[in-house]
Amino acid sequence: MSSKTSGPGGRDRKERVTLRTIAEATGLSLSTVSLSLRGGETLKPETRDRVAEAARALGYVPDRAGVRLRTGKTNVIALVLDGAEDSIDFARHMIQGIGQAIRGSRYHLTVIPEFDGTASTETVDYILSNRAADGVIITHTAPHDPRIEKLIEADFPFVSHGRTAFTEPHSYHDFHAEAFAALAVERLASKGCRDVMLVIGDDSTTNYRNIVGAFRAAGERAGIKARLLEGTAKCAPAEIRRMGVELAHGPDRPDGIICDSEMRTIALVGGLADGGVGLGRDMHLVYKQTSGILPTLFPALDSIREDVFAAGGELTRLLLERIAGTPAEELQTLAEPQPHWRSD
């Protein structure tokens, strides 16, 4: 094979880079290069770094089919990503966090969007029956999520972004939703709010159950009225905006609102503004922040941030440890909410 353009050391860019290519470039044996690219923990760090740098410079791409035949491994992590659009930039930040965490490793990421929510096990069935990945990351879990149940029964490495109600332990990383709700209630109570409404979405998730339970408990501790804005689970933004207008003109308008997503916050604030409500004057609001967009749109509103990029990295760390054999009960972590109080 020939080409007019050459790569490092005059090598034809179209010529496949193999383990032997890296061995020749580094002066190391073929077995050392192979062991290093498979993790090679018995090798010196400087040897692994030398091989990794040469592989990057030469543009080495593992032959996945060959790896799978030799080892039974795919070197693939599958992200089963919920298709909900509640959180702005959730998918991008999650994928970037995972990508950063596997950078320089032997793993590649496959993203599989799911638009049927937790009711469907089709994706997990495919992965299990075809051994399409070495491990799975699942987002937006339900208390008795059938996908999680299947993975537990198959003893297949996975980690969920969210907790469940299963008694059998499994790996998870989750936003500490209970702390989020308590912080938000305490903040609004400190600003004099006595009637606080929670605006929250999908009622099929464990996250919903955790937030609602903690919200009601925090309201009771603070001695304030804590209620839900009902009927928002499947509402489009235009419907949420209409609800905001109705809320602004209603006889039982709350003096404080907690919103669990940025999309709902934008829609609701738009409706409240249409109804003549002055946020920070007539009503106070705290929202869950997952991007940098809302602080630009509403610089005076309080928020509590979930770092989705960091969550992607942590989920990857836990999954790789689970693949390596660490017990699931040792791989369960929570991300603490980060309050950003912007109003006096």
Side-chain angles (χ1 to χ4, degrees), residues 229 239-254 268 271-272 274-275 277:
L229 179 60
E239 295 174 277
I240 298 289
R241 187 180 185 113
R242 178 183 53 76
M243 288 180 177
V245 175
E246 293 175 354
L247 198 61
H249 293 301
D252 58 346
R253 188 176 77 192
L268 188 69
L272 291 171
D274 289 345
V277 172

Side-chain angles (χ1 to χ4, degrees), residues 161-194:
H161 186 227
R163 288 163 279 175
T164 67
F166 292 116
T167 55
E168 182 74 18
H170 66 81
S171 308
Y172 67 74
H173 176 67
D174 198 9
F175 181 61
H176 197 169
E178 300 90 332
F180 160 79
L183 279 170
V185 169
E186 291 165 6
R187 174 63 171 173
L188 292 174
S190 73
K191 297 171 80 66
C193 297
R194 308 307 301 164

Side-chain angles (χ1 to χ4, degrees), residues 129-327:
S129 61
N130 293 279
R131 190 73 188 195
D134 294 338
V136 178
I137 298 172
I138 289 182
T139 69
H140 298 74
T141 55
H144 295 94
D145 197 311
R147 303 170 304 173
I148 302 297
E149 187 174 24
K150 280 187 175 260
L151 290 165
I152 291 174
E153 289 176 353
D155 194 25
F156 191 83
F158 78 95
V159 60
S160 61
H161 186 227
R163 288 163 279 175
T164 67
F166 292 116
T167 55
E168 182 74 18
H170 66 81
S171 308
Y172 67 74
H173 176 67
D174 198 9
F175 181 61
H176 197 169
E178 300 90 332
F180 160 79
L183 279 170
V185 169
E186 291 165 6
R187 174 63 171 173
L188 292 174
S190 73
K191 297 171 80 66
C193 297
R194 308 307 301 164
D195 181 2
V196 175
M197 177 175 283
L198 174 64
V199 181
I200 187 168
D202 191 352
D203 57 6
S204 68
T205 64
T206 311
N207 183 67
Y208 176 94
R209 184 190 63 180
N210 292 340
I211 290 180
V212 170
F215 167 69
R216 287 173 171 153
E220 187 174 347
R221 288 195 303 271
I224 64 175
K225 185 176 182 179
R227 53 193 173 112
L228 302 184
L229 179 60
E230 302 288 354
T232 65
K234 303 297 181 183
C235 286
E239 295 174 277
I240 298 289
R241 187 180 185 113
R242 178 183 53 76
M243 288 180 177
V245 175
E246 293 175 354
L247 198 61
H249 293 301
D252 58 346
R253 188 176 77 192
D255 53 13
I257 287 181
I258 298 169
C259 201
D260 79 321
S261 87
E262 293 180 321
M263 289 295 290
R264 272 186 286 279
T265 299
I266 292 173
L268 188 69
V269 168
L272 291 171
D274 289 345
V277 172
L279 289 173
R281 182 188 69 242
D282 304 318
M283 184 186 295
H284 297 287
L285 186 145
V286 177
Y287 67 91
K288 181 182 174 185
Q289 178 187 344
T290 53
S291 77
I293 294 175
L294 262 71
T296 302
L297 296 174
F298 311 119
L301 290 185
D302 289 333
S303 71
I304 299 176
R305 181 171 177 255
E306 176 184 8
D307 190 337
V308 180
F309 178 89
E314 177 66 359
L315 287 163
T316 306
R317 183 187 73 80
L318 295 173
L319 180 58
L320 295 184
E321 288 200 23
R322 185 71 186 113
I323 291 171
T326 303

Side-chain angles (χ1 to χ4, degrees), residues 68-123:
R68 187 168 183 175
L69 284 172
R70 291 193 306 272
T71 68
K73 298 291 186 181
T74 64
N75 290 346
V76 170
I77 288 173
L79 170 62
V80 181
L81 185 66
D82 189 271
E85 298 181 351
D86 286 350
S87 300
I88 296 173
D89 269 355
F90 176 90
R92 181 170 69 88
H93 288 312
M94 176 65 68
I95 292 169
Q96 285 180 337
I98 297 171
Q100 179 65 31
I102 62 174
R103 187 175 182 180
S105 77
R106 66 180 182 273
Y107 286 99
H108 300 266
L109 176 65
T110 296
V111 180
I112 309 171
E114 271 200 344
F115 299 101
D116 294 330
T118 56
S120 171
T121 62
E122 183 178 338
T123 298

